[in-house]
Amino acid sequence: MEELFVYLILFGEQIITYDLYQKKLDLLFLENPNNEVLLNLEWETDIERIIVYVRTNIDYQNLNYEIFGKILMSKLKEYYNNCPDINIFANKMYSLWKNIPSYIQNEEPFWTLSYADDPLAYADEEQVRFLYEKMLNYYTN
């Protein structure tokens, strides 16, 4: 469920496409055809209803935040490496931070999403990149 949650959040921020989300859902459902949540998501086509359904049916207490973080940082690293404008990336990261579970917002590496863009206010792109790259590599050390 962690992987699907990451894909849904990234889709909500327009970092990935609906097709990528749907392909991930299809794959997870084929691996777990008896999972009621995945079955319900397979039938739903309205993205707003999907978001509400996931947010109300995900067990945040049992979500493995290390797995969630590893998957999220991996996907964000892909986006970072392909995003031509650090300002666009930074704007999406702060918005993404607001949409991750509050349980982990103040934990690293997620906390970095809330402030790493601050040096852009005084045109310090190097510092911004340093902070984001440290965050993106949090799980690789």
Side-chain angles (χ1 to χ4, degrees), residues 15 20 24-25 33 37 40 48 67 74 91-92 97 121-122 127 133:
I15 293 172
L20 283 175
K24 180 54 64 179
L25 174 60
V37 172
N40 289 334
E48 289 186 23
I67 292 172
S74 171
N91 286 336
K92 288 187 181 281
W97 176 76
Y122 45 93
Q127 179 68 13
E133 289 170 15

Side-chain angles (χ1 to χ4, degrees), residues 21-80:
Y21 159 78
Q22 190 63 51
K23 285 178 185 176
K24 180 54 64 179
L25 174 60
D26 293 345
L27 179 66
L28 291 171
F29 180 68
L30 289 173
E31 292 172 359
N32 304 289
N34 295 325
N35 184 307
E36 188 175 332
V37 172
L38 296 175
L39 175 63
N40 289 334
L41 289 172
E42 280 288 334
W43 285 101
E44 185 57 65
T45 57
D46 182 291
I47 191 61
E48 289 186 23
R49 290 177 64 177
I50 290 169
I51 292 169
V52 169
Y53 181 81
V54 169
R55 291 201 177 268
T56 57
N57 286 285
I58 196 162
D59 183 0
Y60 291 105
Q61 298 295 338
N62 290 317
L63 193 67
N64 185 322
Y65 290 109
E66 185 166 344
I67 292 172
F68 172 83
K70 285 178 181 180
I71 296 166
L72 180 62
M73 292 306 138
S74 171
K75 297 314 251 176
L76 289 178
K77 186 182 271 190
E78 289 175 28
Y79 180 65
Y80 176 80

Side-chain angles (χ1 to χ4, degrees), residues 100-114:
I100 62 173
S102 60
Y103 298 61
I104 60 170
Q105 283 181 330
N106 297 328
E107 303 292 327
E108 287 300 344
F110 313 107
W111 176 242
T112 302
L113 293 166
S114 72

